[in-house]
Amino acid sequence: MKCPICGSKGLKTTNSRPTLSDTQTWRRKSCQKCQSSITTYEKPDMSWLSVKHAKDNKSTPYKRFILAKSISEAFNDNNEHGIADIDSLVDTVEIKIIKSKLTIINNNELIKIVLNTIKPISLRAYMQYLASHSNPHSQRDLNSLLSKL
């Protein structure tokens, strides 16, 4: 990494710790040439993860933007949450996936993780996400899904 002030490659990490949400690593770096200090945030690259879809039994590479879009749609009409909050929710879901130590995650398991993450924040968004990702055909189907969670 280069110093954004002088362009030198002589950056030294002077402090490092996990963020409060434990989704990123905060690092304080000092330039050996111009003595300026910068802060960086590092988070894991999720390119190793695949999502397995039950209907065709095929795996596709995990895409953060797809997860973010689906969560955002659940909060679509809810003005209490902004884009930054959606990004934090996606970070939280990704940390839960990393902690599961899976390299291939079943789509239904991913849906459960998302639901468990958004439920304490907004019951309305929880129900919206559940309805859009389970396609219940009746109230009975929806009740059955809810009982499984």
Side-chain angles (χ1 to χ4, degrees):
M1 179 174 185
K2 292 183 182 179
C3 173
I5 310 301
C6 71
S8 168
K9 290 186 180 180
L11 289 175
K12 181 180 178 184
T13 300
T14 58
N15 196 351
S16 181
R17 64 182 149 224
T19 57
L20 289 176
S21 60
D22 207 24
T23 60
Q24 299 176 359
T25 301
W26 173 93
R27 296 194 196 283
R28 192 73 164 152
K29 298 182 180 195
S30 178
C31 179
Q32 302 297 303
K33 184 176 180 183
C34 71
Q35 309 307 311
S36 61
S37 293
I38 63 167
T39 301
T40 62
Y41 291 88
E42 299 173 11
K43 62 182 176 180
D45 175 13
M46 301 288 286
S47 61
W48 49 266
L49 183 65
S50 293
V51 180
K52 189 173 185 177
H53 301 276
K55 62 182 173 183
D56 57 8
N57 209 26
K58 291 186 180 179
S59 295
T60 59
Y62 167 78
K63 303 272 192 248
R64 180 183 172 92
F65 75 90
I66 293 173
L67 179 60
K69 183 180 177 209
S70 70
I71 292 173
S72 179
E73 288 170 353
F75 285 95
N76 193 20
D77 296 328
N78 194 343
N79 293 329
E80 60 187 292
H81 297 282
I83 297 299
D85 293 322
I86 300 300
D87 201 40
S88 294
L89 287 170
V90 175
D91 285 347
T92 302
V93 170
E94 286 182 345
I95 290 300
K96 289 178 180 180
I97 293 168
I98 290 168
K99 287 180 179 177
S100 74
K101 298 182 180 177
L102 297 172
T103 57
I104 299 173
I105 189 165
N106 183 300
N107 190 50
N108 290 333
E109 187 62 32
L110 180 57
I111 290 168
K112 283 182 185 178
I113 292 171
V114 172
L115 288 170
N116 289 332
T117 303
I118 64 176
K119 186 177 183 179
I121 296 164
S122 170
L123 189 56
R124 185 192 164 288
Y126 172 87
M127 295 303 290
Q128 179 67 33
Y129 194 90
L130 178 65
S132 65
H133 288 85
S134 60
N135 298 322
H137 298 289
S138 67
Q139 182 67 39
R140 183 177 176 181
D141 291 345
L142 185 59
N143 290 341
S144 174
L145 284 167
L146 289 170
S147 69
K148 291 178 185 175
L149 298 171

